[in-house]
Amino acid sequence: MAHPYHHSVSSARTWGGDPADYQAIHDFMDSSKAAIADFRHRAALHHSSGIFIAERVFGHVLTNSAGRIVPVRLIAEQHVKEDLGRIPSFADWVRAIRPEAWMGPRSALERDILDGSAS
């Protein structure tokens, strides 16, 4: 989905209430667009750890305008699934990042893993 509002509409369809009930959570999940405005922003929160971070920020549940109690984790999971089709782990994202020299010195173990000589 292109915009947090559309995720909010989807959440309202799923759990009832008004899209505004869910907007803050979906804005949070896409807040990394402020740093990089393409699909790579998703590496920041679109994974299992990011879902738990959203729960810590917004609490375990919200009560929507229809009076229904909805787990925040389910709302964040819905967001990630709508964008990616599944919920990856943070490790899935990190494996896709190509290490660069400026990222820090490599240990002997890292050299072996990255160079393919680890057994």
Side-chain angles (χ1 to χ4, degrees), residues 9-119:
V9 170
S10 178
S11 292
R13 252 188 262 120
T14 301
W15 293 291
D18 188 78
D21 300 335
Y22 308 96
Q23 191 69 50
I25 295 168
H26 294 298
D27 285 344
F28 174 77
M29 293 301 293
D30 281 344
S31 62
S32 53
K33 286 181 181 178
I36 186 161
D38 64 31
F39 71 93
R40 293 174 293 175
H41 87 88
R42 294 177 176 152
L45 292 170
H46 285 56
H47 46 73
S48 52
S49 297
I51 290 165
F52 279 82
I53 292 167
E55 184 181 57
R56 291 192 75 182
V57 169
F58 293 97
H60 292 283
V61 298
L62 68 74
T63 302
N64 67 24
S65 58
R68 185 168 182 193
I69 297 171
V70 184
V72 167
R73 194 181 313 163
L74 293 181
I75 299 164
E77 286 176 356
Q78 178 193 41
H79 184 112
V80 174
K81 287 178 187 175
E82 287 174 346
D83 281 350
L84 303 177
R86 68 184 189 96
I87 299 172
S89 69
F90 179 67
D92 292 329
W93 283 102
V94 172
R95 274 194 294 274
I97 297 172
R98 190 175 61 113
E100 298 284 345
W102 62 265
M103 293 176 179
R106 290 172 34 186
S107 67
L109 177 61
E110 288 172 314
R111 280 191 296 278
D112 289 346
I113 291 170
L114 295 173
D115 297 338
S117 57
S119 52

